[in-house]
Amino acid sequence: MHETMAKRTPTAPHDADSHDLIRVHGGRENNLKDISVELPKRRLTVFTGVSGSGKSSLVFDTIAAESQRLINETYSAFVQGFMPTLARPDVDVLEGLTTAIIVGQERMGADPRSTVGTATDTGAMLRILFSRLGKPHIGSPQAFSFNVASISGAGAVTMERAGRTVKERRDFNIVGGMCPRCEGRGSVNDIDLTALYDDSKSLNEGALTIPGFSMEGWYGRIFNGCGFFDPDKPIRDFTKKELDALLHKEATKLKIDGVNLTYLGLIPQIKKSFLAKDVEAMQPHVRTFVERAVTFTKCADCDGTRLSDTARSSKIKGRSIADVSAMQISDLAEWVSGVDDKTVAPLLASLRHTLDAFVEIGLGYLSLERPAGTLSGGEAQRVKMIRHLGSALTDVTYVFDEPTIGLHPHDIARMNELLLQLRDKGNTVLVVEHKPEVIAIADHVVDLGPGAGTAGGEVVFEGTVDGLRKSDTTTGRHLDDRAALKDVVRSSSAALKVRGAHTHNLQNVDVDIPLGVLVVLTGVAGSGKSSLIDDSVAGQDGVVTVDQAPIRGSRRSNPATYTGLLDPIRKAFAKANDVKPALFSSNSEGACPACNGAGVIFTELGVMATVESTCEECEGRRFQASVLEYTLGGRNIAEVLAMSVLDALDYFGDGEAATPAAHEILERLADVGLAYLSLGQPLTTLSGGERQRLKLATQLGKGGADKADVIVLDEPTSGLHLADVDQLLGLLDRLVDSGKSVIVIEHHQAVMAHADWIIDLGPGAGHDGGRVVFEGTPADIVADKSTITGEHLAAYVGA
């Protein structure tokens, strides 16, 4: 070893500095076809390719997943028992990995107690600040927390002292900041009793109209045997005591027919079963019931602040913690700068830095009291970025999943600066992205393709941005695509009138949204676009909204089950073979008994990664062997589910297997650019863009959407490759030409240029926005150039 050191010249690089590449060899995760890439460290690498080409499989499921798995293995077996177990990705060699920090698009938890303040460190820092400087002093930081209730009590405490057992009386008092009426939620619920039962009927006559409350099951046994009321008497004839027992009685243990059961009144049961859960995650029929039966109103005691009177009584410079949490973060940053106290100087410095990061990243329009569940995917991703901006860590791999989603072209330049800042601190930055503005700043580009799904999974180009432009790949050919302004725009005969819209930051907006045409609603992030739609358009009769909320589904869910395509397929198989449709469901009677229709068998190994092996009985096909003997048009159900949408269109289009209901759904999937998806592909393997387009196809295929007059789309270009945008514009045109009114919330200049009418909100975000700054055709806004959108659209079309 000493010999080696002696031979090295002073100018020769150290061996430790030679590890400047992340090497991936033989990557086969999901649809990757044994690919190999070498990525430069401490550089910005952008991964491009059509949606479904394998970008996420390479970046997230291979590189980032293996980095996280290796880090988890450094913890003790005891600690690993509390962590998610990760399997090694299907790859031959991974070298040169560094610690990976994933900043993904997953929305933040929709728990009603989670806010921007609690999801970041700012809420905790403010609570400490008020506990130190607030006047009057009311207690520790938890006295300002709406998640901590005030509790007091007294009792005897038994303890061992000097070999004797001693009892002492102890008092305890916890001062929390939770509003006692709404329990820190900011809103109280009121239940409409007419939505719970028909009072002209008795319970045994089916008076209850609550989903799942049937008199034939346990509820029937409890109501008939509890003795609190007569189940054969109409509810309108109940005495006050009987009605109170039916509606409000707390949990009471009973013994009915020798079985121990618990009786609980309808209202506490509804609160426990439905209201404690996220409304968005409920099944559609349950969600419909909750929306009909329960109204949420602002808590009168705390005025929606979630905090008790005591917590709001303590102030700094005349403002309570509720006041500052409601401020726009850009204003709050100024207010914190005006607080000067040496006893809390480190806390103030950290708080100022975090609030400035919010402003720098373009989220200055948020407030700390904003519920985390209301943030869009792009906003949630940028909130997660904040904790990394000031980090002292270097030589870290940051992995971003389309960080420009939800960003106006004006804001993309700012995001690019942040990505370059992270790189220049000595970090490796990996970005999955479609926007040419981000691809342009890359040091290195990896383009995957050539197609999507089984037609993708190969590296079709690796090199510089200039090299990509000259290459003959799909991305290279479309990188400099620019949509032109339309020569002729459609004219509108009617308008949807919005008057006095004032939700969130909207400033009493009056606007006429033209009907029968393609309207694009644009403006910088936080200017009030979604607020305008949510407040005045969504929810009206004849309006269908396709938003960006993620699809909820397990690995048993697939495009066929999600879109309802499997129902006509099962019926067609059942009719052709004269058997029950349930046989053709891998979640029902047709399931393979060995793997319960999962196709794989999971073996738990404690702290080690769970082993997933293909079921030997059904060989991964999910169905019993007897079910696979039944065919339709020469194919069994497993073979049909393995087909792509494109193949299935031919199969169900004509011949023995012709099924019009299935063919119609398949056409819609092809319309939104999902022709390459296989019908049985698990939803969990779909990319973000694929899931949104699957949702769009499903909404368009519902009877309600066919009857809808107005279709609202929230950023349908999310996750779309440059080459697929033209297909989307064609779909929008077909919808309008079929007589629909289409309103699109969008930042993509190609969609703006293709619009018949543009409504631009701004001029800024938060309280600097909320106004209509332009209404007119794309040609008008380009000629006018008076707004930020006008400037960027003019530059885009070369005007």
Side-chain angles (χ1 to χ4, degrees):
M1 183 180 173
H2 295 296
E3 227 176 284
T4 311
M5 290 180 73
K7 283 179 186 173
R8 186 184 291 128
T9 61
T11 54
H14 195 286
D15 287 348
D17 296 328
S18 63
H19 303 282
D20 54 0
L21 292 174
I22 295 174
R23 292 186 179 86
V24 181
H25 291 286
R28 292 177 295 276
E29 198 67 24
N30 297 330
N31 68 331
L32 297 180
K33 293 175 180 168
D34 209 27
I35 67 169
S36 298
V37 290
E38 295 191 344
L39 311 175
K41 285 188 184 175
R42 294 174 287 282
R43 297 293 181 271
L44 174 62
T45 300
V46 174
F47 295 80
T48 61
V50 295
S51 185
S53 60
K55 303 182 298 296
S56 296
S57 299
L58 174 59
V59 179
F60 293 95
D61 301 338
T62 303
I63 298 171
E66 179 65 354
S67 172
Q68 287 202 315
R69 187 184 73 84
L70 292 173
I71 289 166
N72 288 0
E73 283 189 352
T74 64
Y75 297 108
S76 67
F78 174 76
V79 173
Q80 286 183 56
F82 297 97
M83 302 172 79
T85 53
L86 303 166
R88 188 182 187 279
D90 190 0
V91 61
D92 292 334
V93 178
L94 268 174
E95 290 179 346
L97 292 179
T98 70
T99 305
I101 294 174
I102 300 172
V103 189
Q105 285 176 32
E106 296 79 23
R107 292 196 174 203
M108 293 188 166
D111 187 286
R113 296 184 185 282
S114 180
T115 64
V116 171
T118 61
T120 59
D121 295 332
T122 44
M125 288 190 278
L126 271 180
R127 292 196 294 275
I128 299 169
L129 185 68
F130 272 84
S131 72
R132 299 288 186 275
L133 303 184
K135 297 285 187 284
H137 176 74
I138 60 168
S140 69
Q142 65 186 14
F144 297 92
S145 171
F146 53 74
N147 286 324
V148 180
S150 293
I151 308 169
S152 59
V157 178
T158 306
M159 62 184 79
E160 293 285 332
R161 186 181 290 159
R164 290 170 50 231
T165 302
V166 181
K167 280 192 175 183
E168 286 186 8
R169 180 181 168 79
R170 292 278 175 93
D171 296 335
F172 72 90
N173 186 37
I174 296 171
V175 179
M178 180 187 287
C179 166
R181 183 171 181 204
C182 66
E183 297 182 345
R185 292 171 185 265
S187 63
V188 288
N189 51 58
D190 191 19
I191 295 176
D192 178 8
L193 299 182
T194 61
L196 307 187
Y197 55 77
D198 178 352
D199 67 358
S200 65
K201 295 179 181 176
S202 70
L203 290 171
N204 280 331
E205 287 172 338
L208 297 181
T209 54
I210 307 166
F213 280 63
S214 163
M215 292 298 286
E216 292 168 10
W218 285 109
Y219 287 113
R221 185 181 284 196
I222 292 169
F223 289 141
N224 277 303
C226 67
F228 300 137
F229 38 70
D230 180 358
D232 293 313
K233 183 163 76 172
I235 293 177
R236 66 163 61 133
D237 297 334
F238 275 24
T239 63
K240 193 173 180 182
K241 185 177 179 183
E242 287 174 326
L243 190 61
D244 185 70
L246 174 68
L247 294 176
H248 302 290
K249 196 168 187 70
E250 291 301 321
T252 308
K253 294 195 178 298
L254 305 169
K255 194 158 193 168
I256 299 170
D257 299 334
V259 181
N260 291 323
L261 298 169
T262 301
Y263 176 88
L264 189 61
L266 293 181
I267 288 176
Q269 182 74 48
I270 286 168
K271 287 183 175 177
K272 177 183 169 186
S273 303
F274 302 143
L275 301 188
K277 298 174 184 170
D278 172 18
V279 178
E280 300 295 324
M282 292 175 179
Q283 290 177 292
H285 70 287
V286 177
R287 183 175 172 177
T288 303
F289 163 75
V290 170
E291 287 171 348
R292 185 180 74 243
V294 185
T295 54
F296 294 91
T297 52
K298 195 198 295 186
C299 174
D301 285 15
C302 67
D303 197 29
T305 62
R306 307 162 177 252
L307 292 159
S308 64
D309 290 341
T310 309
R312 286 178 288 140
S313 67
S314 181
K315 298 186 176 179
I316 298 174
K317 294 176 66 178
R319 291 187 185 269
S320 69
I321 192 166
D323 296 332
V324 298
S325 296
M327 291 167 78
Q328 188 166 304
I329 287 174
S330 54
D331 296 338
L332 176 57
E334 280 184 41
W335 181 82
V336 170
S337 297
V339 178
D340 188 21
D341 192 303
K342 288 179 181 174
T343 61
V344 288
L347 176 69
L348 284 169
S350 181
L351 185 55
R352 283 188 202 114
H353 175 78
T354 306
L355 294 173
D356 288 343
F358 267 101
V359 178
E360 186 183 343
I361 209 166
L363 292 175
Y365 60 88
L366 296 178
S367 63
L368 296 185
E369 68 171 10
R370 170 93 173 256
T374 65
L375 298 180
S376 69
E379 286 172 333
Q381 191 176 25
R382 296 199 292 285
V383 166
K384 292 175 204 165
M385 270 184 86
I386 283 163
R387 63 179 61 241
H388 304 305
L389 288 178
S391 170
L393 289 172
T394 61
D395 261 331
V396 169
T397 300
Y398 285 99
V399 186
F400 291 95
D401 188 6
E402 291 191 59
T404 59
I405 278 187
L407 284 186
H408 188 274
H410 168 72
D411 300 314
I412 290 177
R414 186 186 280 169
M415 175 60 74
N416 281 348
E417 285 172 23
L418 295 171
L419 294 173
L420 293 172
Q421 272 179 35
L422 285 172
R423 179 202 66 186
D424 294 345
K425 280 173 60 179
N427 297 306
T428 306
V429 181
L430 309 181
V431 184
V432 173
E433 189 53 87
H434 293 292
K435 295 268 172 61
E437 298 97 319
V438 180
I439 297 171
I441 65 162
D443 302 308
H444 189 71
V445 179
V446 177
D447 191 22
L448 282 96
T454 53
E458 299 173 37
V459 175
V460 291
F461 174 82
E462 196 177 353
T464 63
V465 180
D466 286 338
L468 178 65
R469 274 200 178 87
K470 292 167 189 165
S471 71
D472 194 33
T473 67
T474 308
T475 308
R477 287 195 302 273
H478 291 272
L479 196 57
D480 294 316
D481 276 4
R482 295 291 180 267
L485 296 173
K486 287 199 287 196
D487 296 329
V488 181
V489 294
R490 302 176 185 92
S491 55
S492 168
S493 54
L496 183 67
K497 296 182 187 297
V498 175
R499 296 290 178 267
H502 56 272
T503 304
H504 300 313
N505 66 328
L506 294 177
Q507 301 182 17
N508 289 315
V509 168
D510 295 339
V511 65
D512 292 345
I513 301 174
L515 296 176
V517 298
L518 176 58
V519 177
V520 171
L521 197 62
T522 187
V524 296
S527 59
K529 304 179 297 296
S530 298
S531 300
L532 181 63
I533 293 297
D534 294 344
D535 180 51
S536 308
V537 180
Q540 291 192 27
D541 288 340
V543 175
V544 166
T545 305
V546 183
D547 61 15
Q548 286 193 23
I551 288 176
R552 295 179 185 274
S554 67
R555 65 183 314 281
R556 287 177 175 270
S557 304
N558 53 48
T561 57
Y562 184 78
T563 58
L565 173 64
L566 205 52
D567 289 335
I569 291 177
R570 282 198 298 246
K571 286 173 185 168
F573 266 93
K575 189 176 178 184
N577 295 282
D578 200 22
V579 290
K580 288 192 295 185
L583 279 176
F584 303 100
S585 168
S586 61
N587 295 325
S588 186
E589 292 181 29
C592 164
C595 62
N596 292 324
V600 290
I601 291 174
F602 298 98
T603 309
E604 297 280 348
L605 295 175
V607 298
M608 306 295 286
T610 301
V611 175
E612 181 182 313
S613 54
T614 303
C615 173
E616 292 178 7
E617 183 96 7
C618 66
E619 296 177 344
R621 288 180 293 199
R622 301 180 173 220
F623 293 90
Q624 296 174 25
S626 58
V627 173
L628 298 179
E629 291 173 11
Y630 299 118
T631 60
L632 174 69
R635 305 273 186 107
N636 64 35
I637 184 71
E639 288 168 337
V640 167
L641 289 176
M643 285 182 180
S644 69
V645 170
L646 197 60
D647 294 338
L649 268 169
D650 292 337
Y651 175 74
F652 288 110
D654 49 32
E656 188 191 335
T659 310
H663 194 262
E664 189 180 335
I665 295 171
L666 289 163
E667 281 183 325
R668 296 187 192 282
L669 286 168
D671 273 350
V672 296
L674 294 177
Y676 60 88
L677 275 191
S678 67
L679 305 186
Q681 186 175 340
L683 288 189
T684 49
T685 65
L686 300 188
S687 68
E690 287 168 335
R691 290 180 196 181
Q692 193 181 14
R693 280 177 287 150
L694 184 62
K695 185 190 279 193
L696 174 58
T698 308
Q699 284 285 7
L700 296 178
K702 285 182 179 174
D706 282 343
K707 293 169 191 164
D709 303 315
V710 181
I711 296 174
V712 180
L713 303 175
D714 187 0
E715 292 195 56
T717 59
S718 296
L720 268 193
H721 188 266
L722 298 160
D724 297 326
V725 173
D726 280 346
Q727 189 171 4
L728 175 74
L729 296 177
L731 173 63
L732 298 179
D733 279 340
R734 286 198 297 279
L735 287 171
V736 175
D737 293 340
S738 70
K740 310 277 188 239
S741 301
V742 179
I743 302 171
V744 183
I745 300 172
E746 190 53 84
H747 296 292
H748 201 297
Q749 295 104 314
V751 182
M752 292 181 207
H754 199 73
D756 298 308
W757 193 258
I758 287 183
I759 297 172
D760 192 18
L761 274 80
H767 58 48
D768 297 324
R771 295 186 290 274
V772 174
V773 291
F774 184 86
E775 293 176 79
T777 65
D780 292 340
I781 197 170
V782 164
D784 189 61
K785 290 185 191 169
S786 62
T787 68
I788 293 171
T789 304
E791 288 175 21
H792 282 275
L793 186 57
Y796 176 82
V797 297

